[in-house]
Amino acid sequence: MIGRMREFLRLVTFAIALSFGFCAVAQPVAVIPQPARVEQHAGVLKLHAGMTMASDAACEPQARYLREVLFPSTGFCWKSAEKKSRADVVLEVDAARVPEAEGYRLTVDGKRVTICGHDAGGVFYGIQTFLQLLPPAVHGTALQQGVEWLVPQVEISDAPDHPWRGMMLDVARYFYDKEFVKHYIDMMAMYKMNKLQFHLIDDSGWRLEIKKYPRLTEVGAWAGQNENRLGGYYSQDDIREIIAYAAVRNVEIIPEIEFPAHMLSAVVAYPWLSCTGKQHEVPRQHFISRDLLCVGKETSYEFLADVLEETADLFPSEYINIGGDEAVYDRWKECPLCQQVMQREGLKQVSDLQGYLTNVVADMMKQKGKTVVGWEEIIMRGKVSQPVVALIWHQVNDTIQATQSGHKAILAPATNLYLDFPESRTPGEIKAATWMPPISLEKCYSMPVNDYSPASTVLGVQGCFWSDQFIHGTVLQELSLLNENRSEKYAEYLTFPRLLAVAELGWCRNAVRDWESFRSRLGSQYARLDHKDCNYRVPEPEIVSMKEVGGKVRFELASPVEGATIRYTTDGSWPHSHSAVYTSPVEVDVKTDFRAITEVDSRHFSLPLYFAPDFSAFQQYGAFVAEWKPLVLASGTGKWRFEATGKMVGNGTYEVTFVRTRGTAVKWGQLVQYKRDETLAEIPAPTVVAPDVVTYRLTQTAFEAGVPFFFEVEADCGATSDSHGYVFVRKVEE
Ligand code: ACM
Ligand code: ZN
């Protein structure tokens, strides 16, 4: 489909060019996010070194930005025009001509480029669209030889649908340095995203310098000791530098100061912040500490007031994020001081204490002119009277609760917009979080989002990039594809190209959003990411058709990446950079013998096309978890450990079923469930041992997102080791 769509667009453009008798053929406009209105005319404008530029004072930083992008790749150093009316490139701000906030008009005719923005942000977005009309090499950091800098003649009128088009970057679990943060912001801005939630605090790291509490970063920013310690933090000067960099790009940085949970790093620095006062260490593995901020001590409120005031003064955003997720209240239940607050305030449930705390802080922040944002728990736990903004991360339907109680919401559901989940189940896929099913690019793009209106409760959308599986530089499980071990490259692999889908969700109205169109426009974006030295997940070849022809299976493929090569094998082996190049449809005897990759270059390629085994005959046993075969189970008795993360999400009663499909029957013994290394359940061998199907039943009460779960089973294979089969799980009760 993608190939055909692109071919169609090419033909239309070519026909236009022919009918007007032009020799330079304009590429069809393929901008992401899709602009609201595009009129493409025949013909192109050729940019050259002798052009002149004029810009209004209100968008001077954006004019400088444009020069800084163009100079390295094109060598153009455009002189300033003496008069705006004579300039070849005009950047201006005119809220009367462009009434929509952050909107712009971009006009390219045979002589001039005019970008008129509602505000400086609108001008920046006009520049982004303009750059996407130029060849991808425009983003290069070195002089590009032999490129003609042609821009199609267009009139584009564009403005965002939603005011909130965000990304969350978790710098607390893994410390990304200032340069990487700037790069991430730059990439967001390229796709017109405008809010960065800076997740600065978590159990495993405090990343923001607070002058009044130096131990937060002297102690709380580091795991381990001396030269072996890992971590880091941003000084207040670093923060000012990041904010200024983002401001030119119309990105607002919203600091997130997490409490009452996810703040063990602060408790390590100042143990008196918790109910027990116990000394802890900054953790080296992901877990969610139960040591909350004590809500019964006056010193806790002083701490919050001081920290939030310093933070609010540092960040110009009208918002401040207070986290608020995943608090488990054991400590508050046991703490006499917290219990006193419950009684004094007449609170019925311990969770009401969180609402009490949120109210105190929202009032405090209102006096600083700031609106509080937080994860959905801030409106779900206790009653909050100040209007706040809730990030809905579980069920999109929970926005109803926000509406009914006078709050605003942002859609950030883990199911679609948590970009640390893998894109696929293909063996070898790179994954960070695994506690939920994969999120393909299409699933991310296809999240329903209603159009925005000023009366809307939902301000927009936000992608979230968590780093809990990267903690302190842990190398993730799948390495070969990236051929390197820096977490930053994984962060990019997982973020891109899905960030582009989130960007379009936030920018475009429903009527404009279209998956096929998005996919076809995406093809030319990968080269832009390459020029920006931004890693991404290369998509597998597109199957245009797969047909049975005379007892054979015939594959027709298209490359989803413009300019990439497809390589394939027909013997079931992994293709590599010397495998056959796909040029025309290929026939094989068995579908699964055909494997093909998209190769951008010899070091950057996709996973092979993968046809998952068909489990439809085993539906009654639930979801597939693991497969055993002779190499997995040896002869004699032994233990087999397999991962079940993401298969048993949430607490409840489950059945774990072992189904033999071939070979000798296995005598199964005790089944043990682990959460990382902690034993959760030990289920004895079933008394009735059916030869082919064996089911264990267990009740899970300790589910925790982001933590790996395993099973280990005793297996007696007898003298032979030729057994094959599958394990499934099924939830039977909540
Ligand atoms: C979250 O994922 N804990 C907000
Ligand atoms: Zn307490």
Side-chain angles (χ1 to χ4, degrees), residues 28-289:
V29 169
V31 174
I32 289 179
Q34 174 66 43
R37 279 175 300 280
V38 179
E39 230 179 277
Q40 183 167 1
H41 305 293
V44 293
L45 172 68
K46 185 170 170 183
L47 305 185
H48 57 87
M51 293 175 101
T52 59
M53 190 163 130
S55 57
D56 288 352
C59 58
E60 196 47 50
Q62 287 68 33
R64 212 173 309 123
Y65 164 92
L66 178 59
R67 289 178 190 282
E68 282 167 12
V69 174
L70 289 180
F71 177 67
S73 55
T74 65
F76 300 163
C77 187
W78 291 337
K79 290 210 169 70
S80 296
E82 277 165 20
K83 277 180 133 179
K84 193 157 135 180
S85 58
R86 298 244 181 92
D88 301 311
V89 178
V90 176
L91 306 184
E92 55 193 355
V93 174
D94 187 342
R97 262 181 66 206
V98 183
E100 310 94 340
E102 303 176 273
Y104 66 92
R105 306 276 178 280
L106 165 65
T107 312
V108 182
D109 61 24
K111 295 205 176 77
R112 303 181 101 197
V113 177
T114 310
I115 295 172
C116 179
H118 172 90
D119 39 29
V123 172
F124 181 80
Y125 292 152
I127 291 172
Q128 292 313 313
T129 300
F130 171 66
L131 292 172
Q132 285 196 33
L133 299 180
L134 282 161
V138 73
H139 303 286
T141 48
L143 192 64
Q144 307 290 309
Q145 305 288 355
V147 180
E148 282 204 299
W149 303 105
L150 305 179
V151 200
Q153 295 188 19
V154 288
E155 277 174 60
I156 294 180
S157 267
D158 197 12
D161 184 39
H162 285 87
W164 193 295
R165 307 176 301 283
M167 274 303 299
M168 190 273 317
L169 181 63
D170 174 3
V171 295
R173 268 69 165 271
Y174 177 82
F175 179 67
Y176 300 93
D177 68 17
K178 186 175 65 180
E179 291 313 316
F180 182 82
V181 173
K182 283 164 53 177
H183 164 71
Y184 209 80
I185 291 167
D186 191 42
M187 297 310 300
M188 287 170 60
M190 179 171 171
Y191 296 103
K192 306 188 176 94
M193 300 186 84
N194 67 349
K195 308 272 191 235
L196 175 72
Q197 178 182 332
F198 210 8
H199 186 79
L200 290 160
I201 314 302
D202 217 300
D203 291 314
S204 45
W206 183 285
R207 309 280 173 227
L208 175 64
E209 180 190 23
I210 298 289
K211 304 266 188 208
K212 203 156 185 184
Y213 297 90
R215 285 177 60 80
L216 288 172
T217 44
E218 283 169 10
V219 175
W222 306 100
Q225 303 296 324
N226 306 324
E227 68 275 13
N228 293 325
R229 69 182 192 171
L230 286 162
Y233 68 92
Y234 310 102
S235 70
Q236 294 198 355
D237 280 344
D238 290 338
I239 294 288
R240 281 186 271 271
E241 185 181 325
I242 292 169
I243 290 169
Y245 180 88
V248 175
R249 290 160 176 76
N250 200 45
V251 175
E252 182 178 331
I253 314 274
I254 297 141
E256 182 185 358
I257 306 291
E258 269 264 29
F259 59 88
H262 285 285
M263 53 171 288
L264 186 67
S265 52
V267 171
V268 172
Y270 299 102
W272 45 262
L273 287 169
S274 74
C275 294
T276 63
K278 198 172 149 212
Q279 181 67 59
H280 292 272
E281 284 187 356
V282 175
R284 294 168 154 273
Q285 273 196 322
H286 171 59
F287 83 107
I288 303 171
S289 169

Side-chain angles (χ1 to χ4, degrees), residues 18 30 102 193 208 255 382 426 450 452 555 679:
L18 277 185
E102 303 176 273
M193 300 186 84
L208 175 64
T426 303
N450 291 335
Y452 178 78
F555 283 92
T679 305

Side-chain angles (χ1 to χ4, degrees), residues 325-326 375 393 418 466:
D325 58 323
E326 297 185 301
W375 299 106
W393 66 281
Y418 272 25
W466 295 103

